[in-house]
Amino acid sequence: MAPTLDDSSSLFNFVVRDGNGVKGMVDLGLSRVPEPYIQPPKERINKQKAIKLEQSPIDFSRLNGPDHDEVVKEIVTAAETLGFFQLINHGVPVDLLESLKVAAHNFFGLPSEKKAVYRKEVSPSPLVKYGTSFVPEKEKALEWKDYISMIYTNDAEALQQWPKECREVALEYLKTSMNMLKKLLQVLMGNLGAELDDSKIDALIGMKMVNMNFYPTCPNPDLTVGVGRHSDMGTLTILLQDGIGGLYVKVAEEIENIGKKGEWVEILPVPGALVINIGDMLQILSNGRYKSAEHRVRTTSTKSRVSIPIFTIPKPTEKIAPLPQVVEKDGVAHYKEVIFADYMKNFFGNAHDGKKSLHFAQINSAER
């Protein structure tokens, strides 16, 4: 039954509980943004005020040649400043990336009832969750986003349990990204003086999720957000943007030729590139040297947008703390040791609110 757009309770049930999502609401025909989606003024994204980041992507293929040291420096500098960078020649076939975007549109184009079977409460698989917003029950204003989240255990379970509309291409995306991901980790951890063997890599990225995010067209993007301000809780995130754009990153400390502290920069889409961002766990391991950047997503009025991240996170039992050799150099630890399962529970127990998730691990909660 169609909701009354002016009745917040009826709308919440239709979008969230019944699994129609934002797309189901938009498909009813909207001329204005319903009240539950209107963000407070301080959370709205001012596109005109944001800086367009026109930094050249890093050519990852150069890591294996005479320019190795230069590429390492580019990666480390990006991790220490903005916490975001883009890679080309990353080893993931560009035609696969195009197929991924098509698969995402195909999945979200399904009738609501075919997507709603994967809602957390009823999903036939513990590996697959379809939802909307982030933690809708705890949010003052909802996010203009639907998503499907697919946890990876092994190939057989992915091919059996992930949605058939996207499982093969999503699994291929994950598998072809792993070589790049491991090399990135070796560069970043090696710069901190840590040697990584396979078991340590597995501990840091032992859990992997492929998400597909869908941002339907919005009648007034200035009033809404696709995703609110947050940093990613894991180790590293790989993100495929489509050509529409809308990803904004906050400058933590002034960065020459990029922006001043507190300014927002838009990560403009680059054809064939993948966006990489530092997660909270790398910020903790590096004792704050690497920045898990605060970021958010704007909506659009012209065309529905998709983005497809791979979240790599530690195993739940893994203990994460600043590396001893980094603490020795810095003279003080800025973070306490955390068990990742506890950190994750705290992260998903709250609405998006900038980098507050890191307060869970900070000593004296001093923002870095």
Side-chain angles (χ1 to χ4, degrees):
M1 190 173 132
T4 308
L5 293 180
D6 291 325
D7 180 346
S8 294
S9 175
S10 162
L11 188 67
F12 188 90
N13 286 336
F14 177 81
V15 173
V16 179
R17 298 226 165 93
D18 301 340
N20 290 288
V22 179
K23 184 175 188 300
M25 177 180 70
V26 169
D27 287 348
L28 296 172
L30 287 182
S31 58
R32 60 184 172 82
V33 173
E35 191 67 34
Y37 286 90
I38 296 176
Q39 294 289 330
K42 70 181 178 73
E43 298 300 339
R44 298 174 194 171
I45 299 172
N46 188 326
K47 195 174 182 179
Q48 276 66 45
K49 271 193 176 174
I51 299 158
K52 291 192 185 302
L53 187 63
E54 295 180 10
Q55 228 176 10
S56 298
I58 297 169
D59 183 346
F60 201 55
S61 65
R62 293 167 60 230
L63 189 68
N64 295 328
D67 297 332
H68 173 89
D69 291 354
E70 191 184 323
V71 175
V72 166
K73 189 181 174 191
E74 288 175 13
I75 291 167
V76 167
T77 300
E80 290 177 341
T81 53
L82 194 60
F84 267 75
F85 52 96
Q86 298 199 64
L87 292 183
I88 53 170
N89 297 325
H90 37 63
V92 183
V94 173
D95 59 347
L96 173 65
L97 300 181
E98 293 307 311
S99 300
L100 262 173
K101 296 175 206 172
V102 172
H105 278 287
N106 287 345
F107 176 81
F108 289 104
L110 290 172
S112 291
E113 59 272 16
K114 292 204 169 178
K115 294 176 285 190
V117 297
Y118 294 109
R119 278 178 301 130
K120 184 172 70 174
E121 301 79 10
V122 297
S123 180
S125 167
L127 306 181
V128 183
K129 178 188 164 192
Y130 167 76
T132 189
S133 201
F134 180 61
V135 189
E137 294 77 12
K138 296 201 172 188
E139 290 163 350
K140 290 174 183 160
L142 297 169
E143 299 177 350
W144 198 270
K145 177 191 83 168
D146 299 330
Y147 67 89
I148 184 86
S149 179
M150 298 167 278
I151 296 172
Y152 177 80
T153 46
N154 57 57
D155 290 9
E157 287 191 341
L159 291 171
Q160 187 181 18
Q161 298 181 39
W162 290 5
K164 67 178 189 297
E165 293 77 16
C166 54
R167 60 190 173 204
E168 288 181 5
V169 70
L171 180 60
E172 192 63 20
Y173 172 46
L174 177 67
K175 289 170 72 175
T176 54
S177 297
M178 280 306 104
N179 185 41
M180 166 192 66
L181 185 84
K182 288 175 181 177
K183 283 183 181 175
L184 280 172
L185 260 185
Q186 282 163 343
V187 165
L188 291 166
M189 295 295 280
N191 177 62
L192 300 174
E195 292 299 318
L196 290 188
D197 57 21
D198 285 348
S199 67
K200 189 61 186 164
I201 288 175
D202 193 43
L204 291 177
I205 57 167
M207 279 183 72
K208 296 174 263 293
M209 285 182 290
V210 182
N211 278 24
M212 289 182 165
N213 299 323
F214 187 75
Y215 305 95
T217 52
C218 175
N220 191 342
D222 291 337
L223 297 178
T224 59
V225 296
V227 181
R229 299 177 298 109
H230 71 290
S231 57
D232 291 349
M233 67 171 178
T235 304
L236 277 173
T237 301
I238 300 165
L239 175 74
L240 171 63
Q241 291 200 84
D242 64 13
I244 296 167
L247 173 62
Y248 293 79
V249 180
K250 191 175 185 179
V251 178
E253 298 292 339
E254 183 165 348
I255 308 168
E256 194 179 345
N257 300 325
I258 291 182
K260 296 187 175 73
K261 181 176 179 175
E263 289 185 319
W264 289 87
V265 298
E266 183 179 2
I267 307 292
L268 297 172
V270 174
L274 289 169
V275 179
I276 310 295
N277 68 279
I278 304 297
D280 290 350
M281 295 305 105
L282 270 182
Q283 179 155 336
I284 293 171
L285 285 161
S286 68
N287 204 32
R289 290 190 191 186
Y290 297 150
K291 305 291 186 274
S292 65
E294 186 176 330
H295 55 286
R296 57 187 180 175
V297 174
R298 195 176 191 273
T299 58
T300 172
S301 60
T302 51
K303 203 175 177 187
S304 295
R305 174 179 181 262
V306 294
S307 69
I308 303 147
I310 297 173
F311 296 110
T312 66
I313 62 179
K315 292 178 176 176
T317 53
E318 192 66 20
K319 292 174 180 174
I320 304 290
L323 294 169
Q325 58 269 51
V326 181
V327 173
E328 193 179 333
K329 251 184 204 174
D330 293 349
V332 61
H334 298 297
Y335 304 91
K336 64 186 180 188
E337 181 180 87
V338 293
I339 296 168
F340 185 68
D342 296 338
Y343 193 92
M344 186 161 53
K345 186 179 176 187
N346 176 68
F347 185 87
F348 284 114
N350 297 286
H352 282 147
D353 190 6
K355 291 188 70 170
K356 273 205 179 155
S357 54
L358 259 175
H359 290 186
F360 184 78
Q362 275 168 353
I363 294 171
N364 299 328
S365 283
E367 185 60 82
R368 287 187 63 77

